[in-house]
Amino acid sequence: MNLLMRIVDPAFGHPRGILGRLGGRLMVRGNAEQERWAVGSAELKPGERVLVVGHGPGVGLALAADAVGPTGHVLGVDPSDTMRRTAAERCAREIRNGVVELRSGTAEVTGAAAESLDVAISVNNIMLWRLDAGFAEIARVLRPEGRLVLTVHRHVLGRGPEEYGRPRRRRASTAWHSGYAHAAGTARPSS
């Protein structure tokens, strides 16, 4: 981990302490548009079961809970105690009503049953995954024909979005090899 990553990790990579709380506040502002885009792109329907990986301060959890309604379920996994506490405050009503559940977890270890979820969403978290293990775990917990929506700021990818989707050349993508039959990587237009 380089010096810059060591400095920002307690705020954004693995939020903890006062820097983690400050990072969470910045994530609410800086990621709100991406959270709305991801939840909208997932085309959530009432009653669906949704996984939110690396939910951070819970903006996407709340949006997903609104979309699936009282008959749906949103499972949020995040390894950060700080982010789970922040998300629990933001989604207190949805947690009380049984629509939102928070767990310690990661893309690689969600704690969800096999083929139990309709949709998985992750915003600005994929760069923290062990890609093969993360894609494999999400493929395991999604039902057949389940949907996965990922979004991340371009400057942190380190590679083009097409490398996560269906392979175009001999060098195949991680998602394709993990069993995603209709994987496609696209860059969301800037607004």
Side-chain angles (χ1 to χ4, degrees):
M1 186 181 301
N2 66 34
L3 178 61
L4 178 60
M5 290 308 294
R6 282 196 303 263
I7 292 169
V8 300
D9 186 68
F12 301 108
H14 299 91
R16 57 195 177 274
I18 193 163
L19 285 177
R21 290 190 299 277
L22 175 61
R25 288 187 181 132
L26 293 172
M27 286 180 221
V28 168
R29 291 179 157 236
N31 293 341
E33 179 186 347
Q34 281 186 294
E35 297 280 4
R36 284 190 299 274
W37 181 86
V39 170
S41 295
E43 299 177 351
L44 300 177
K45 297 168 190 63
E48 285 193 311
R49 297 181 56 80
V50 180
L51 171 67
V52 179
V53 177
H55 57 70
V59 173
L61 290 168
L63 293 168
D66 286 344
V68 301
T71 60
H73 187 77
V74 179
L75 170 61
V77 296
D78 199 302
S80 167
D81 291 335
T82 300
M83 289 299 99
R84 286 194 312 278
R85 279 192 302 274
T86 303
E89 291 170 9
R90 174 166 278 106
C91 299
R93 184 191 61 196
E94 293 88 348
I95 291 170
R96 271 193 314 277
N97 294 336
V99 176
V100 170
E101 174 187 357
L102 302 179
R103 294 182 189 167
S104 177
T106 62
E108 301 85 359
V109 182
T110 65
E115 297 184 2
S116 62
L117 302 163
D118 300 296
V119 180
I121 298 171
S122 184
V123 173
N124 288 332
N125 190 260
I126 192 171
M127 64 280 198
L128 302 173
W129 297 10
R130 289 186 333 272
L131 289 177
D132 289 340
F135 277 119
E137 171 66 357
I138 292 171
R140 182 189 73 76
V141 302
L142 283 175
R143 292 182 175 136
E145 302 302 317
R147 305 178 306 279
L148 169 61
V149 175
L150 301 170
T151 181
V152 67
H153 294 297
R154 277 182 211 202
H155 65 276
V156 298
L157 277 178
R159 56 178 134 177
E162 66 282 350
E163 291 186 46
Y164 294 100
R166 187 176 203 143
R168 293 201 171 109
R169 295 183 300 273
R170 288 188 334 177
R171 187 171 150 213
S173 76
T174 303
W176 183 257
H177 276 283
S178 296
Y180 293 89
H182 303 289
T186 61
R188 181 177 61 87
S190 301
S191 51

